[in-house]
């Protein structure tokens, strides 16, 4: 799976370059299985010139599930929704611009307190 993620990342980099993408963003899975590394990387964005697998682009570790998307520094970053998975395994949606840390604070830690 990690090798697949490496080649997927390389293909995505090539695609972004062909499309003249200037910046990319890291997107993590919003669930309880996301590693500490991936939680920290979620929502970070970098110029394409800094693309380096394991440093600024996935995979960052074995079984890494991160992906990359185009980054636009404008109002479109807050449009739409993002899928998350609850402790019960059900999928629900949160704002598109919510990072893992924000999701965890609002939807995981608040639920544990109640």
């Amino acid at each position: 799976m990690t090798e697949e993620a490496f080649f997927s990342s390389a293909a995505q980099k090539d695609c972004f370059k062909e499309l003249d993408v200037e910046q990319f963003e890291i997107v993590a899975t919003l669930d309880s299985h996301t590693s500490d590394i991936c939680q920290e990387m979620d929502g970070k964005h970098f110029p394409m010139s800094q693309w380096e697998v394991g440093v600024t682009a996935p995979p960052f570790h074995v079984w890494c599930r991160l992906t990359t998307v185009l980054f636009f520094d404008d109002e479109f970053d807050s449009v739409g929704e993002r899928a998350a998975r609850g402790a019960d395994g059900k999928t629900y949606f949160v704002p598109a611009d919510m990072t893992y840390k924000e999701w965890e604070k609002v939807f995981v830690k608040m639920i544990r307190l109640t």
Side-chain angles (χ1 to χ4, degrees):
M1 184 169 163
T2 307
E3 289 175 5
E4 249 179 56
F6 174 84
F7 287 109
S8 176
S9 184
Q12 202 154 28
K13 177 185 177 185
D14 291 345
C15 179
F16 286 176
K17 282 191 173 211
E18 282 186 37
L19 295 171
D20 293 324
V21 171
E22 294 177 12
Q23 294 186 65
F24 65 97
E25 181 176 353
I26 304 295
V27 179
T29 303
L30 300 180
D31 69 12
S32 62
H33 301 290
T34 301
S35 73
D36 291 343
I37 294 168
C38 295
Q39 291 175 28
E40 290 298 322
M41 293 302 292
D42 186 48
K44 292 187 178 185
H45 54 91
F46 303 93
M48 284 299 298
S49 62
Q50 291 182 12
W51 185 291
E52 186 178 348
V53 172
V55 178
T56 60
F60 291 96
H61 57 83
V62 175
W63 300 103
C64 187
R65 300 179 297 150
L66 286 181
T67 191
T68 54
V69 295
L70 307 175
F71 176 78
F72 300 100
D73 194 17
D74 56 23
E75 72 276 1
F76 291 111
D77 283 343
S78 62
V79 174
E81 294 178 315
R82 177 176 181 181
R85 179 151 300 152
D88 60 0
K90 293 185 180 178
T91 301
Y92 59 95
F93 296 90
V94 299
D97 60 350
M98 181 175 272
T99 65
Y100 188 95
K101 291 295 184 184
E102 293 167 336
W103 169 78
E104 182 180 46
K105 186 177 179 181
V106 174
F107 291 95
V108 178
K109 291 184 178 175
M110 290 300 283
I111 292 170
R112 288 181 192 157
L113 295 174
T114 58

